[in-house]
Amino acid sequence: MSLINKLKECVKDVPDFPRPGILFKDIMPVFRNANLVHDTCNEMVQEIKKLNRGSVDAIVGIEARGFLLGPIMAQILGVPFVAVRKKGKLPRDCVSVKYEKEYGFDEFEMQMDSLKENENVVIVDDLLATGGTLDAAKQLCSKLNAKVIAHCVIFELEFLNGREKLKDTDVVSLVKY
């Protein structure tokens, strides 16, 4: 069975979550299979390399599921992992950005010294929906003068047109719905 089919097989549909009318894609069962997670991270790294956007200097992971994928990808690439967290979760000086997501508004932060100027970074999360979360992470990287060379997700909900918000940056997604 292909990697894509294995991933699709793991996803569980949850109707009316987190509110009526939403069909939530629960990806947490993917993480019950260590080999599948390893293969998924390897595949995402290979897809990033195929973009030929130059070397990757850091992987930026978005709270919370980007924390499950990002460190593994960073280890494969031999580069640092940088965390994007919700406001108030990081000590020391931070840059922040407010953004709109699927179900309301939120705010992210990144430590001021987490990226160096002109570093090439890849932003990692589990899912691309409307693009608000990935765009917010990109804005944080831009505030630190780093260059986002790609966004990388396992799953993409194409019907929400999230790529439109990210149109000036490559997007790697393995499974599209």
Side-chain angles (χ1 to χ4, degrees):
M1 181 183 304
S2 75
L3 174 64
I4 304 307
N5 287 336
K6 288 177 187 176
L7 288 166
K8 284 182 175 180
E9 190 174 86
C10 284
V11 173
K12 306 298 181 207
D13 287 342
V14 182
D16 299 319
F17 183 85
R19 63 179 189 217
I22 302 291
L23 179 61
F24 185 82
K25 299 284 188 188
D26 181 10
I27 70 151
M28 291 310 293
V30 169
F31 296 97
R32 293 183 50 88
N33 182 328
N35 290 331
L36 182 57
V37 171
H38 181 266
D39 292 347
T40 299
C41 289
N42 271 325
E43 181 65 21
M44 291 196 305
V45 166
Q46 293 310 310
E47 291 298 316
I48 291 165
K49 288 179 178 180
K50 287 179 190 176
L51 296 174
N52 290 318
R53 296 286 181 241
S55 64
V56 176
D57 298 312
I59 295 289
V60 174
I62 299 174
E63 185 174 345
R65 292 185 185 121
F67 291 2
L68 300 174
L69 304 165
I72 298 168
M73 293 172 65
Q75 188 176 40
I76 292 167
L77 289 165
V79 301
F81 172 77
V82 175
V84 170
R85 301 230 37 208
K86 292 183 180 179
K87 184 172 178 62
K89 300 290 185 180
L90 290 170
R92 302 185 296 115
D93 292 336
C94 294
V95 293
S96 66
V97 64
K98 292 180 183 177
Y99 69 100
E100 186 174 2
K101 57 184 195 174
E102 297 83 20
Y103 314 117
F105 293 88
D106 214 337
E107 189 168 355
F108 275 151
E109 292 183 326
M110 184 184 287
Q111 290 175 319
M112 293 284 292
D113 61 356
S114 60
L115 295 173
K116 295 178 184 145
E117 189 170 344
N118 296 318
E119 278 191 314
N120 290 331
V121 302
V122 173
I123 299 173
V124 177
D125 204 1
D126 61 332
L127 175 76
L128 169 57
T130 64
T133 302
L134 288 165
D135 185 57
K138 182 178 181 182
Q139 289 177 49
L140 286 173
C141 294
S142 294
K143 286 184 176 192
L144 296 176
N145 298 309
K147 181 181 177 190
V148 177
I149 59 172
H151 297 280
C152 192
V153 297
I154 303 174
F155 302 98
E156 179 178 358
L157 303 179
E158 290 183 301
F159 63 93
L160 292 176
N161 300 314
R163 280 182 188 249
E164 283 300 308
K165 197 169 265 184
L166 309 170
K167 59 186 167 197
D168 60 339
T169 306
D170 287 316
V171 176
V172 171
S173 63
L174 300 183
V175 179
K176 296 171 180 62
Y177 289 102

